[in-house]
Amino acid sequence: MSSVKKALIKYKNLAAPVKASLWYTVGSVINKGMALFLTPVFTRILTTAQYGAFSIFQSWVSILIIFTSLNIFLGGYQKGLLLYKEDCDRFTSSQLGLTTFITVCFFIIYLMKVDLFTKFFDLSPILMIAMFLELLFMPALEFWAARQRFDYKYKKYVLITIFMSVLSLVLGVISVISTKYKLEARVYSDVISKLIFMVPLFILIFSQGKKFFVKEYWKYALAFNLPLIPHYLSNYVLNQSDRLMIGNMVGKSEAAFYSVAYTISTMMMLIVTSVNNSLTPFIYKSIESGEVKNLKKVTVPIIFLMALLCLLTVIFAPEVIYIFAGKKYMDAIYVIPPVAISVFFVFLYSLYSTIEYYYQQTGYIALATTLSAVLNLILNFIFIKKFGYYAAGYTTLICYVFLSFAHYYFYKKIVKEKLHKNSIFNDRLILIISLCITLIMMGLTLTYSNLIVRYLFAILIFVCVFVKRKDIIKIFKTLR
């Protein structure tokens, strides 16, 4: 039998959660890859002021969506699909009704003080209209995508996201080149590309559910998600404050170096997000059915895979920086290791927080993220001033380690109270992997000045894993 046929058989035999996770990951990587490929094009056909304004537009969308949608389409929605599994269509349409109502209210407030908000957001009214269109219809895509993931369906989702990304990029380049209103062209080409898919889904959800308002479902969504607003805002601060503080305390050039390194390091976040989105329904359904024993078996190889992928980013940091940013950014390679390993801890805290979401203990989530964000601001203020922008990478790692331990503590508390168990994940193995990749990261950082040593170190890791693969499997079985 050929290797291709063997691979196809193995693929067909994959469990639904694994297969869905694989394709969501592939879709995310393709989308991000296309965006990175065309970034140099937009930086050349737009002025720095225009490109900066587009970045501001995207940043405001990321912030305002927290308030206009309450991020209802995240953990709370998937939990609701289990609670109201006999009424999923009405539940979904009422959730979309709530986000629509809130967004319209925000738009009315904006219309009452257009000049004030234009100055505050630093965006013209025509751009604000584009923003509100995206805020209004984006939840429809998110609800539909969450439902697809919940049912382990992936073909339509992957196709739509890829087509939407390609259309945005191609239409963006053509429209920017064709007009003198380049900023508006870039914004509207992006928004219209999304609306082409989001508006039909918006109509579809309401036509299937036929309910805009259901008191019980709105009450559930508000109770679940309102306490999470500090969490979402703190998460945004945790991801963005480094660059802002470096720019103010050290300099704009240093902020650019850090931003490039951070962006490259967190490319792995796409895979983490995709895996988490596919893993969440599986965890929810396992708890619902009482089959939590399977969680260790499913999560152990995924955790190990996440660790290896993050280490790959660390190992090849110099090459990645050179390819995506060029020689002038090579000084930023030393930021990549701590930020790349931070991504692993993002995966861990997301894994533990899934249990908090399931049992609707959202106060714990908000508390952990808020404390981590405050810690990040304090550490940045102390160490960026003292050690420069390199320090921000290590403060990021410290804060995500802290966040992982905080969620671990709350997860243990919940599991003991609700399931009367000490653990449902392989916590001992998780600790061992966490310590190992942190130590390896430190060792790899010391090899960046010597290409031969670094490559030999990388080869040694892969050879050791391959040679000792049977022993590693035995260790995994022992620790289960």
Side-chain angles (χ1 to χ4, degrees), residues 408-420:
Y408 169 76
Y409 173 79
F410 293 135
Y411 138 81
K412 292 282 281 188
K413 189 173 185 293
I414 293 169
V415 166
K416 190 169 288 187
E417 290 175 357
K418 302 293 185 179
L419 296 175
H420 308 293

Side-chain angles (χ1 to χ4, degrees), residues 277-303:
N277 286 339
S278 300
L279 200 54
T280 297
F282 179 77
I283 293 173
Y284 281 5
K285 290 175 182 178
S286 296
I287 297 173
E288 184 79 6
S289 63
E291 297 293 329
V292 293
K293 290 181 180 179
N294 293 328
L295 291 178
K296 288 184 180 180
K297 184 178 180 181
V298 171
T299 55
V300 162
I302 293 175
I303 292 167

Side-chain angles (χ1 to χ4, degrees), residues 41-113:
V41 177
F42 286 117
T43 56
R44 284 164 175 77
I45 60 180
L46 293 171
T47 66
T48 53
Q50 290 166 342
Y51 194 80
F54 180 63
S55 299
I56 290 172
F57 176 87
Q58 292 180 309
S59 296
W60 277 121
V61 170
S62 299
I63 294 172
L64 288 179
I65 194 76
I66 295 172
F67 295 99
T68 59
S69 72
L70 306 180
N71 281 351
I72 292 171
F73 39 75
L74 297 180
Y77 174 65
Q78 296 204 6
K79 170 64 176 177
L81 289 176
L82 282 176
L83 288 175
Y84 308 110
K85 55 189 173 184
E86 304 300 327
D87 197 20
C88 287
D89 288 340
R90 281 203 334 144
F91 173 70
T92 302
S93 67
S94 71
Q95 300 296 281
L96 183 57
L98 177 55
T99 65
T100 302
F101 174 74
I102 297 171
T103 305
V104 170
C105 288
F106 269 83
F107 184 62
I108 292 171
I109 294 170
Y110 166 75
L111 291 177
M112 292 169 65
K113 293 284 184 180

